[in-house]
Amino acid sequence: MQPTRRRWLSITGVGLGVGVAGCLSSGSNITYPESDSESSDGSESDTDDPDSGSSDSDSEDSEGSDSVTPINTRLADETNTVYNELRWFETEYDDTMREYKGHVREVHNELKLLREALASDGRIEADSLAAVETFADEVAASVNDIPEPQFTRHLNFRVINENRFPVVERFRRREDWQRVDDELRQLSRIYGNASTDETIRKRYSPNPIDNRLYGWLTGTQTGKLFEVRHVSDDPEAHEDADQRLPGHGAYILDDSDREIKYLDRPLGGPQWDLLSSLNDDFDQFDEPTDRRYRLYVRIHDVDIQSDDESDDESDDESDDESDDESDDDEIDPTETNSVPLFGQRYESLAAADAAFDAVMSDKDIEDTIQWGQETWNRILYTDEGRVYAHFLQAGAFLFVVNPSRTAWEERADDWDGPISGTWLNPEPDNS
């Protein structure tokens, strides 16, 4: 009979002395819940998301089982944050961008009506132009709040208005109606281009996701590509019933202009079905009892050359500028150095604890290894041969990394390079 997690921690001395010493030290920024507003794994509950659970089950777990102590809460908290952002892209992104598009498009339509009035009447009055300018200023003052906090790299409509409308008024006073029409057409084109689906998805990219999520996953690291898919155990949680794979998938990159092969099918597709292969690899760790969702991640090392993009008006006015990358710069996820990860989020700490014991019932722990702030178990098991993997419980999560028949000491020295510096294996905190 193999040792349970608590027996192993006791035998090896990992326990609170090593495994969570960083979390419980005087310098820790981790706090444990004293009310129902937080879950017992140290993360805030998301009661608006039926798939992220509520605080009730976690608080009951804390009160009902003194033997379940939260461990590795740093990793649990950060994974919860990552998941909530992924769920936002799945469930709220489209509505958010429709709202943004609608407001920007309204300004474009008002400018179009102003030009039509000029064409029919041969002139426009000062109050008509001023009314449109006032409306454009009202939109500029609020429209960029709509994509926040998920996105912050906005087009500066306020500066555009300040630069453009005075020019229109100057030529209106001179009764140079051709120049008035030219300036209105240019201003209308800016708002029209900014409200197209293509421009919006380029600026606020949902796949590859190019926003704060990349920094949460990598810290200060660059040159990483994350291929992710989360699959809820609630069959009603995912809205797209026609998709080719279960759950919701996306790539995460810090340069959404970079071309990615197979962009439309992260972790799978008709010609390259990686999800099925990963399920085979992780089958020995699959434990669905009281589980909320599964999280599949492949972390890739890629050579990325990113230039900071300017948000000044000239960049956004030109629709002739091409940002196409060369074929040589395309990322092929099938040809990178990558490491796979399988995570499972459970209803409570007690459920995750029971799942850990169930998974480990036919496996051996050889030793442990320190990755960043967490102590991972290096485990052995049999699955058509001897398999080596890294396994860990973190709060209400279970994580397993890179099951392989290659023994630890026979792996390439840099096999874990893709995860180095990421939220999974962050740089040690030397503060």
Side-chain angles (χ1 to χ4, degrees), residues 273-283:
D273 193 352
L274 181 62
L275 184 60
S276 176
S277 175
L278 288 179
N279 276 326
D280 290 342
D281 292 341
F282 293 124
D283 181 65

Side-chain angles (χ1 to χ4, degrees), residues 36 38 45 47 53-62 292 347:
D36 288 342
E38 295 184 2
S45 297
T47 55
S54 67
S55 60
D56 294 342
S57 62
D58 289 348
S59 61
E60 289 173 3
D61 179 73
S62 293
R292 290 181 181 169
E347 293 287 351

Side-chain angles (χ1 to χ4, degrees), residues 65-133:
S65 179
D66 294 337
S67 63
V68 180
T69 302
I71 62 173
N72 300 317
T73 54
R74 193 279 315 170
L75 181 56
D77 291 344
E78 294 187 16
T79 304
N80 270 327
T81 301
V82 167
Y83 168 75
N84 288 335
E85 192 83 342
L86 292 170
R87 280 288 286 174
W88 181 89
F89 275 95
E90 180 184 10
T91 62
E92 299 183 44
Y93 174 87
D94 288 341
D95 289 341
T96 299
M97 295 309 153
R98 273 193 291 268
E99 181 183 1
Y100 173 87
K101 175 182 178 177
H103 286 288
V104 177
R105 198 71 183 175
E106 284 186 276
V107 178
H108 168 75
N109 292 338
E110 290 299 320
L111 290 165
K112 181 181 178 181
L113 291 174
L114 201 58
R115 289 188 66 211
E116 291 174 355
L118 175 59
S120 63
D121 300 338
R123 62 182 299 112
I124 56 174
E125 301 301 329
D127 58 348
S128 298
L129 178 60
V132 174
E133 181 178 4

Side-chain angles (χ1 to χ4, degrees), residues 254-311:
D254 66 346
D255 181 5
S256 56
D257 287 334
R258 188 82 182 272
E259 296 291 334
I260 301 176
K261 199 171 184 179
Y262 311 113
L263 179 63
D264 64 330
R265 47 185 185 271
L267 288 180
Q271 297 176 348
W272 177 54
D273 193 352
L274 181 62
L275 184 60
S276 176
S277 175
L278 288 179
N279 276 326
D280 290 342
D281 292 341
F282 293 124
D283 181 65
Q284 292 281 341
F285 298 89
D286 187 81
E287 177 49 58
T289 304
D290 294 327
R291 187 176 61 194
R292 290 181 181 169
Y293 63 84
R294 290 165 285 161
L295 181 65
Y296 301 86
V297 184
R298 277 213 312 166
I299 307 174
H300 304 262
D301 265 338
V302 293
D303 182 21
I304 297 178
Q305 300 294 331
S306 298
D307 296 324
D308 292 336
E309 293 185 18
S310 172
D311 285 341

Side-chain angles (χ1 to χ4, degrees), residues 11 17 49 93 153 156 165-166 234-235 250 331 348 371 384 399 406 422:
I11 293 170
D49 183 353
Y93 174 87
R153 191 181 69 87
N156 196 333
F165 276 103
D234 176 2
I331 299 172
S348 64
W371 278 354
E384 298 180 1
F399 294 102
T406 303
T422 68

Side-chain angles (χ1 to χ4, degrees), residues 84-294:
N84 288 335
E85 192 83 342
L86 292 170
R87 280 288 286 174
W88 181 89
F89 275 95
E90 180 184 10
T91 62
E92 299 183 44
Y93 174 87
D94 288 341
D95 289 341
T96 299
M97 295 309 153
R98 273 193 291 268
E99 181 183 1
Y100 173 87
K101 175 182 178 177
H103 286 288
V104 177
R105 198 71 183 175
E106 284 186 276
V107 178
H108 168 75
N109 292 338
E110 290 299 320
L111 290 165
K112 181 181 178 181
L113 291 174
L114 201 58
R115 289 188 66 211
E116 291 174 355
L118 175 59
S120 63
D121 300 338
R123 62 182 299 112
I124 56 174
E125 301 301 329
D127 58 348
S128 298
L129 178 60
V132 174
E133 181 178 4
T134 298
F135 177 69
D137 287 342
E138 290 173 354
V139 170
S142 61
V143 72
N144 286 338
D145 294 337
I146 295 173
E148 292 189 349
Q150 280 74 23
F151 294 100
T152 57
R153 191 181 69 87
H154 307 304
L155 178 58
N156 196 333
F157 293 109
R158 179 184 62 80
V159 170
I160 291 171
N161 294 345
E162 289 176 351
N163 290 342
R164 291 286 174 173
F165 276 103
V167 176
V168 179
E169 171 60 16
R170 181 166 69 247
F171 286 107
R172 190 204 64 81
R173 291 196 308 268
R174 293 172 178 171
E175 298 189 351
D176 187 342
W177 304 116
Q178 182 59 54
R179 285 299 305 275
V180 168
D181 187 62
D182 290 342
E183 294 298 329
L184 287 175
R185 182 173 64 250
Q186 179 74 353
L187 187 53
S188 177
R189 187 171 66 86
I190 294 171
Y191 276 94
N193 287 344
S195 61
T196 64
D197 292 336
E198 181 182 0
T199 299
I200 291 172
R201 290 178 72 87
K202 180 182 176 69
R203 181 170 290 278
Y204 306 123
S205 177
N207 187 27
I209 294 171
D210 183 3
N211 79 330
R212 59 184 184 173
L213 184 53
Y214 184 85
W216 290 348
L217 290 170
T218 63
T220 60
Q221 294 291 314
T222 58
K224 306 288 184 184
L225 171 68
F226 297 85
E227 187 178 7
V228 300
R229 182 167 292 276
H230 61 89
V231 182
S232 175
D233 283 68
D234 176 2
E236 303 298 323
H238 301 294
E239 299 175 356
D240 186 358
D242 297 326
Q243 59 190 358
R244 288 175 287 193
L245 291 173
H248 180 259
Y251 290 95
I252 303 164
L253 189 63
D254 66 346
D255 181 5
S256 56
D257 287 334
R258 188 82 182 272
E259 296 291 334
I260 301 176
K261 199 171 184 179
Y262 311 113
L263 179 63
D264 64 330
R265 47 185 185 271
L267 288 180
Q271 297 176 348
W272 177 54
D273 193 352
L274 181 62
L275 184 60
S276 176
S277 175
L278 288 179
N279 276 326
D280 290 342
D281 292 341
F282 293 124
D283 181 65
Q284 292 281 341
F285 298 89
D286 187 81
E287 177 49 58
T289 304
D290 294 327
R291 187 176 61 194
R292 290 181 181 169
Y293 63 84
R294 290 165 285 161

